[in-house]
Amino acid sequence: METQENKAYSRSDFLSWGMLALLFLYMLAVNFLMPLHRDDYWYSLIWGTMDKLAVWPDVFQSMYAHYLTHGGRMTAYVTLSSFLLVGKAWYNLFNAFLYVALIVLMYWHSQRQITWRFQPHILLLLLTFTWLGLPHFAEVTIWMAGACTYLFTAVLILAFFLPYHFQALGRGLWQGGFGASVGMLILGVLAGWGIENTSATTAFVSVCATFYFYKKKQLQTWMLTGCLGAVAGMVMLVIAPGNYVRFDDSKTKLLYHFTNLIAAGAEALLYVLPVVLFLLLAWRVLRVCHEKGASAVGESRKLDGRFILSSVITMAVIAFLLLSYSNGHFFSNWVGPLLMAKVAVPLGVATPRLQVQLFNTLSGLEEMLIYLLTIAQLYRYAFTKLSLRKKDLKGLTAGVCWREIMAAHPACWHVAAWLGLALFNHFVMVASPRFPARATFGSVTFLLIATAGVFTVPEVRQYFLETARKKYMAFFAALVLLPMMAATLNQYVTIYREDGARMAYVQEMAAQGATELEVEPISIKNRVLRHVYFEDLNNSVSRDLLCNYYGLKTIKLKE
């Protein structure tokens, strides 16, 4: 990509910097409003004891015990424990910076250019897809324990990849030297000592890159030390005695390794659906441009009566779901008992536990359906208006092989490489007995880089960014992003107010020697896309960890 660094600052530059500044302030606000929660209380204690962290040696004592008895994620948990020791105010600033750094690093990798002159429409689309696509958003980017585990390690990994990536592009970031070698060794250890699947991916990429440069006779010392650090970090992560203690406690059948992989992938697909559809849209645009030229993709297609009728029905269903959502979730409250009576009871599996699980699953039914139907309708309109439906392409692109398109547009291989990395990072989790959806964070990050990378294909970039279509992209992004961010901020204000009052009461009563407390529940619940994360005290983990921190025997919610 051509550099713009030597040109005068433009309105686009100031717009992009303004977007990043506002993003930093927004993330700072939600981090400030998010209270300590669940594992935050756990890691506020010296591991294996009821003593609170008080001085720096306590952090290292705690992490040593953690390494031996629970797990080896030292990069994440040393960082978490350190911020719990010095105070959450410092973490709020750090984490807001981290999120902006994640966006910037994804932009650099996707556009194959280290620049502070961002294309605002690409940046806005990346912000939108990151907001929608990252699994369990609040749990992995805002909550202290989750963000240190996933967001922080992802930023380290993308920073670690930069020198290898740009050296492969023929634009090395440095010529080597002692400082570069030591720096890459340290960064490699930190990136490799993160979480299991992304650490394996980091080590794999560094080994492959080092071998590639060796074969090209371009090997430098920093490549070797970076690779050594990444592999060493991954080894230290895997061999932690605490991993095997936990593994013995959670042994599962081999079949579950594969079913967990499928389940996590299916849940992640819910989040990245807009991303996948955009990739498909870009690919079809490229197919048509490749054979017929950009003029073959038009915007003047007349919508037929069938499309209009189906759209009206879709909008009516969305309106009904919005009505249900704003009036006590009457639709999901009807579906739950119906499934219990007509399905669970005849099958003989109706239990109180199933009833609770079914209620929790259906509590966000309206939101999930509204989200899916809205995204589907937007993309149906785009594919239909641009004549890019599958049936529209049958005759137009007959006989065109995908390899031919890839060969004619070399930038496509850049996109394909990041897609391959996302798949590798996902399937390596087959080795784990558990695969929560939040662990797809790294895979989704690589997928987002691939998605933004389509704009390095000249035909796609010209089609979307050098025409009036970029206004439609901006409108779509703002339509999705702004209302959700405003609603999320409002919910965090409620959590901050309610939890603040509740914790002031808990602290006061604990100081007086009380051991059994009853408190008001928090009114905010987790929803489909999980931009708000708060598991209330009716959850055993939340309850027990809070009790341990304050020395209580029990704490329960008022009926």
Side-chain angles (χ1 to χ4, degrees):
M1 303 296 295
E2 293 182 2
T3 181
Q4 302 291 321
E5 297 300 324
N6 58 346
K7 293 186 177 180
Y9 295 136
S10 67
R11 185 172 63 177
S12 293
D13 296 326
F14 289 111
L15 178 60
S16 299
W17 299 333
M19 289 163 56
L20 291 175
L22 289 174
L23 179 65
F24 175 83
L25 293 175
Y26 180 86
M27 294 302 295
L28 181 62
V30 293
N31 274 278
F32 170 78
L33 296 169
M34 175 70 189
L36 294 181
H37 189 51
R38 288 169 67 90
D39 291 22
D40 299 337
Y41 290 112
W42 203 4
Y43 286 92
S44 294
L45 304 176
I46 298 175
W47 196 262
T49 75
M50 294 299 174
D51 299 325
K52 296 177 182 178
L53 297 174
V55 292
W56 282 109
D58 292 346
V59 172
F60 299 105
Q61 176 187 340
S62 179
M63 289 298 98
Y64 179 72
H66 184 283
Y67 190 78
L68 294 178
T69 62
H70 190 73
R73 298 176 177 178
M74 291 296 99
T75 297
Y77 294 142
V78 168
T79 303
L80 172 62
S81 298
S82 298
F83 277 113
L84 289 168
L85 174 64
V86 301
K88 191 171 183 295
W90 291 105
Y91 164 81
N92 296 337
L93 289 165
F94 173 74
N95 197 53
F97 168 78
L98 276 184
Y99 190 78
V100 174
L102 177 72
I103 299 295
V104 170
L105 285 165
M106 288 196 295
Y107 186 97
W108 287 350
H109 278 294
S110 68
Q111 303 308 298
R112 297 183 292 172
Q113 180 184 16
I114 296 181
T115 177
W116 298 108
R117 315 288 291 274
F118 306 99
Q119 209 292 336
H121 292 85
I122 299 177
L123 187 63
L124 180 59
L125 201 66
L126 192 55
L127 288 173
T128 304
F129 284 156
T130 303
W131 175 267
L132 295 175
L134 290 180
H136 294 207
F137 183 90
E139 193 174 349
V140 296
T141 65
I142 300 173
W143 175 45
M144 282 189 73
C148 288
T149 303
Y150 296 99
L151 175 60
F152 179 47
T153 55
V155 168
L156 287 174
I157 289 167
L158 292 184
F160 177 69
F161 283 170
L162 275 179
Y164 292 104
H165 186 186
F166 283 84
Q167 188 70 33
L169 293 173
R171 286 173 273 153
L173 300 184
W174 46 53
Q175 295 301 315
F178 179 76
S181 299
V182 173
M184 287 298 288
L185 175 65
I186 295 172
L187 187 56
V189 171
L190 293 175
W193 209 342
I195 59 175
E196 289 72 17
N197 57 335
T198 51
S199 291
T201 302
T202 302
F204 172 75
V205 169
S206 65
V207 169
C208 290
T210 302
F211 181 73
Y212 169 80
F213 291 122
Y214 170 75
K215 295 293 287 184
K216 298 276 287 184
K217 301 186 185 306
Q218 297 176 2
L219 190 65
Q220 298 183 40
T221 305
W222 64 262
M223 301 172 188
L224 287 170
T225 58
C227 177
L228 177 64
V231 172
M234 186 195 71
V235 170
M236 294 300 293
L237 170 68
V238 171
I239 68 172
N243 290 332
Y244 302 97
V245 174
R246 293 177 66 192
F247 183 78
D248 289 339
D249 293 338
S250 60
K251 282 185 176 179
T252 58
K253 295 181 179 178
L254 181 62
L255 176 63
Y256 293 154
H257 289 241
F258 293 94
T259 57
N260 290 342
L261 197 71
I262 296 170
E267 185 175 350
L269 185 60
L270 169 68
Y271 302 108
V272 300
L273 179 62
V275 180
V276 173
L277 290 174
F278 181 79
L279 278 172
L280 179 60
L281 178 64
W283 175 249
R284 289 187 177 177
V285 166
L286 183 59
R287 286 177 63 188
V288 177
C289 290
H290 174 74
E291 185 171 344
K292 299 293 184 180
S295 61
V297 187
E299 292 183 291
S300 58
R301 179 188 179 92
K302 186 177 180 179
L303 302 176
D304 56 28
R306 185 176 179 181
F307 178 86
I308 294 173
L309 177 61
S310 64
S311 298
V312 169
I313 293 173
T314 301
M315 298 307 294
V317 172
I318 292 174
F320 169 77
L321 293 169
L322 285 170
L323 181 66
S324 173
Y325 177 76
S326 59
N327 288 274
H329 301 269
F330 61 78
F331 176 65
S332 59
N333 290 338
W334 172 76
V335 171
L338 180 67
L339 290 176
M340 285 294 294
K342 301 298 184 181
V343 179
V345 172
L347 291 176
V349 295
T351 63
R353 178 179 175 82
L354 177 63
Q355 187 171 7
V356 171
Q357 291 175 332
L358 188 61
F359 172 79
N360 291 335
T361 301
L362 294 176
S363 63
L365 179 64
E366 286 91 349
E367 288 172 276
M368 179 183 70
L369 292 176
I370 290 169
Y371 169 72
L372 292 176
L373 289 173
T374 302
I375 293 298
Q377 180 61 27
L378 286 171
Y379 278 97
R380 279 185 68 236
Y381 176 82
F383 278 84
T384 304
K385 194 71 174 174
L386 299 174
S387 299
L388 291 173
R389 296 171 299 177
K390 192 173 183 180
K391 64 181 182 181
D392 296 325
L393 301 181
K394 280 185 178 178
L396 184 63
T397 58
V400 177
C401 175
W402 66 269
R403 292 185 183 87
E404 179 184 334
I405 298 175
M406 298 285 282
H409 307 277
C412 290
W413 292 109
H414 174 250
V415 176
W418 285 103
L419 288 175
L421 205 58
L423 291 173
F424 176 87
N425 192 73
H426 180 77
F427 285 102
V428 78
M429 280 295 288
V430 74
S432 174
R434 295 179 64 250
F435 192 178
R438 62 180 178 269
T440 62
F441 185 99
S443 301
V444 171
T445 299
F446 300 144
L447 174 63
L448 293 171
I449 294 173
T451 304
V454 302
F455 294 108
T456 62
V457 181
E459 291 78 5
V460 175
R461 185 182 184 91
Q462 179 183 3
Y463 182 80
F464 283 109
L465 299 181
E466 297 178 14
T467 65
R469 298 180 188 97
K470 64 184 180 182
K471 296 180 181 178
Y472 303 146
M473 287 175 49
F475 175 74
F476 161 76
L479 180 67
V480 172
L481 196 62
L482 296 181
M484 291 184 67
M485 293 181 75
T488 298
L489 183 62
N490 180 64
Q491 289 187 317
Y492 273 110
V493 170
T494 301
I495 289 178
Y496 178 78
R497 183 179 64 251
E498 295 182 3
D499 184 76
R502 189 167 76 175
M503 294 312 300
Y505 169 75
V506 170
Q507 293 172 19
E508 179 183 357
M509 297 306 294
Q512 295 176 12
T515 58
E516 298 183 3
L517 298 178
E518 188 176 32
V519 296
E520 295 288 344
I522 300 297
S523 61
I524 299 298
K525 308 298 180 185
N526 292 336
R527 295 303 183 190
V528 172
L529 295 185
R530 307 295 176 90
H531 290 90
V532 176
Y533 177 64
F534 198 89
E535 300 281 357
D536 214 344
L537 299 175
N538 54 354
N539 178 283
S540 60
V541 176
S542 300
R543 181 178 61 248
D544 293 346
L545 293 179
L546 187 67
C547 287
N548 289 344
Y549 184 79
Y550 284 105
L552 304 173
K553 289 183 179 179
T554 184
I555 185 170
K556 63 180 182 178
L557 299 178
K558 294 180 180 178
E559 298 292 338

